[in-house]
């Protein structure tokens, strides 16, 4: 897969809430950045070498700059703390992308956008684009308090009366069931936020609007599914072969290794990042075979196509997969 590697300079820093900072990034010469669509993210390589993924939340039509927003997680793995404490105007960052596994599909009669916390970043870009195109849309934004919810003023300008704010300390939790029940037929739901919010919303949406109406993005790996011990699971964890068509070799993937582990043994430069099935870096085209999908990126419809997979977590349902790698 082709990949943009960008050397970027921090041109703007702004505190958007008590714990969210936005960064404006541009090319050193001020030239035009690669085009992107709402839902896209950058893979940012921090000066320490840590790699983190951040959704673009600027206007896709303004290609002289990208804007990211970073939640400061004091109990996290260190990436957000590094950006908050060490980034200055003029700081240099390397990024790869943009990549997009969360595109807005055409054809819905109405779009219900739901964001929890820092999940507002891709949702805000979607909201701006939908409203500019004259689409019917509503945005439900949930957070612990107004002080922690970034971009409220900007969202009110974009959405007007179509914005519903749910600071938990003022209004409690959002009534997602009512929101879905009030949505017209043909509504598509796009959501980003904590796993609990997305799980509740997916259940409600599937019951009311059908499984294809729900689209979501997690900023972390989902909890692993419960093991049932049936024959399908046993087969999924059995050894299988992978043929790497471009590399011209056939390899065995044992139960204790991922496809990515095996590929890296013969191609150490193969691109990967999260190794938990949520960032999309290791996406690989499937030429033959049936995939056991275990990522949190693909929708049910996309999984049914069986033409791509994320090799850090997904496995094979058949004795051999042929991959375009």
């Amino acid at each position: 897969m082709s990949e943009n590697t960008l050397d970027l300079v921090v041109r703007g820093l702004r505190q958007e809430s008590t714990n969210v900072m936005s960064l404006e990034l541009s090319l050193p010469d001020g030239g035009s950045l690669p085009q992107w669509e709402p839902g896209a993210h950058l893979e940012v390589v921090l000066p320490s070498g840590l790699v983190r993924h951040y959704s673009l939340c600027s206007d896709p039509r303004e290609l002289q700059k990208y804007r990211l927003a970073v939640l400061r997680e004091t109990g996290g793995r260190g990436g957000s703390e590094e950006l908050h404490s060490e980034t200055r105007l003029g700081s240099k960052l390397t990024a790869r992308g943009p990549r997009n596994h969360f595109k807005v599909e055409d054809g819905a009669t109405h779009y219900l956008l739901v964001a929890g916390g820092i999940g507002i970043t891709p949702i805000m870009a979607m909201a701006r684009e939908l409203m500019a195109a004259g689409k019917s849309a509503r945005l439900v934004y949930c957070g612990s308090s107004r002080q922690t919810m970034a971009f409220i003023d900007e969202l009110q300008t974009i959405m007007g009366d179509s914005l519903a704010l749910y600071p938990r300390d003022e209004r409690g939790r959002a009534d997602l069931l009512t929101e879905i029940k009030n949505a017209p037929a043909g509504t598509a739901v796009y959501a980003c936020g904590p796993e609990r919010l997305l799980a509740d919303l997916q259940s409600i949406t599937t019951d009311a609007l059908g499984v294809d109406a729900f689209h979501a993005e997690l900023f972390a790996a989902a909890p692993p599914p419960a093991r049932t011990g049936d024959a399908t699971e046993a087969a999924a964890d059995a050894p299988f072969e992978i043929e790497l068509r471009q590399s011209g070799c056939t390899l065995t993937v044992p139960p204790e290794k991922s496809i990515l582990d095996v590929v890296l043994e013969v191609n150490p430069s193969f691109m990967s990042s999260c190794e938990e099935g949520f960032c999309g870096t290791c996406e690989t085209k499937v030429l033959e075979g049936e995939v056991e999908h275990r990522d949190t990126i693909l929708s049910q419809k996309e999984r049914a196509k069986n033409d791509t997979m994320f090799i850090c977590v997904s496995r094979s349902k058949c004795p051999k997969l042929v991959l375009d790698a």
Side-chain angles (χ1 to χ4, degrees):
M1 297 176 65
S2 61
E3 184 73 39
N4 295 308
T5 299
L6 306 169
D7 294 318
L8 302 173
V9 179
V10 178
R11 301 296 191 191
L13 292 170
R14 179 175 170 176
Q15 200 68 28
E16 303 290 354
S17 72
T18 55
N19 54 1
V20 174
M21 178 181 71
S22 66
L23 299 82
E24 289 188 354
L25 308 173
S26 67
L27 294 171
D29 63 1
S32 293
L33 291 155
Q35 294 183 342
W36 61 282
E37 296 178 355
H41 69 269
L42 286 183
E43 180 181 87
V44 179
V45 183
L46 307 185
S48 66
L50 291 173
V51 178
R52 296 292 183 266
H53 299 83
Y54 298 107
S55 292
L56 290 161
C57 58
S58 43
D59 189 330
R61 289 158 292 200
E62 296 179 5
L63 292 178
Q64 263 56 54
K65 64 181 180 181
Y66 287 155
R67 182 173 60 170
L68 312 175
V70 181
L71 171 67
R72 189 171 202 160
E73 299 180 274
T74 55
R77 297 179 294 162
S80 67
E81 183 64 33
E82 179 179 345
L83 278 174
H84 273 259
S85 62
E86 299 183 20
T87 305
R88 303 288 184 270
L89 292 177
S91 293
K92 297 179 180 180
L93 295 171
T94 299
R96 292 187 285 261
R99 302 192 192 104
N100 199 342
H101 301 289
F102 192 35
K103 293 181 181 179
V104 178
E105 298 177 6
D106 290 331
T109 59
H110 178 74
Y111 294 86
L112 178 61
L113 309 177
V114 181
I118 195 60
I120 192 60
T121 50
I123 296 298
M124 182 165 67
M126 292 179 181
R128 183 185 289 108
E129 197 79 351
L130 289 169
M131 297 303 281
K135 303 289 187 180
S136 173
R138 176 173 170 81
L139 197 164
V140 177
Y141 183 16
C142 311
S144 57
S145 68
R146 288 178 183 269
Q147 291 71 35
T148 64
M149 297 168 70
F151 305 120
I152 287 179
D153 290 345
E154 189 170 344
L155 289 165
Q156 288 175 329
T157 299
I158 294 169
M159 299 299 299
D161 293 339
S162 296
L163 173 67
L165 296 175
Y166 283 91
R168 196 161 54 249
D169 62 345
E170 297 177 24
R171 301 187 61 185
R173 295 188 180 277
D175 186 351
L176 298 176
L177 181 59
T178 298
E179 290 286 350
I180 295 297
K181 284 183 175 180
N182 289 341
T187 292
V189 178
Y190 286 80
C192 185
E195 194 274 334
R196 176 184 172 183
L197 171 70
L198 299 186
D200 290 347
L201 185 61
Q202 182 175 19
S203 177
I204 295 167
T205 302
T206 299
D207 290 345
L209 300 172
V211 65
D212 291 338
F214 184 74
H215 311 265
E217 181 174 66
L218 273 170
F219 280 149
R227 308 293 288 175
T228 65
D230 64 19
T232 302
E233 286 183 346
D237 285 336
F240 58 92
E241 288 188 337
I242 54 170
E243 178 187 334
L244 306 181
R245 184 62 56 84
Q246 291 186 32
S247 302
C249 61
T250 299
L251 308 168
T252 298
V253 181
E256 70 276 8
K257 290 186 177 182
S258 68
I259 298 176
L260 176 62
D261 292 333
V262 174
V263 169
L264 288 173
E265 290 173 1
V266 297
N267 181 7
S269 64
F270 189 91
M271 292 189 63
S272 63
S273 182
C274 76
E275 300 188 12
E276 295 181 291
F278 69 86
C279 78
T281 304
C282 68
E283 183 175 10
T284 304
K285 186 176 180 180
V286 178
L287 302 177
E288 297 177 25
E290 189 175 2
V291 178
E292 172 69 28
H293 293 286
R294 298 184 180 182
D295 63 273
T296 58
I297 298 172
L298 298 177
S299 67
Q300 292 299 322
K301 184 185 296 185
E302 290 168 332
R303 291 183 176 194
K305 292 179 181 178
N306 201 62
D307 60 358
T308 192
M309 70 183 299
F310 300 94
I311 64 172
C312 63
V313 291
S314 296
R315 298 184 70 82
S316 179
K317 287 185 176 180
C318 58
K320 183 178 179 179
L321 286 176
V322 181
L323 305 177
D324 187 18

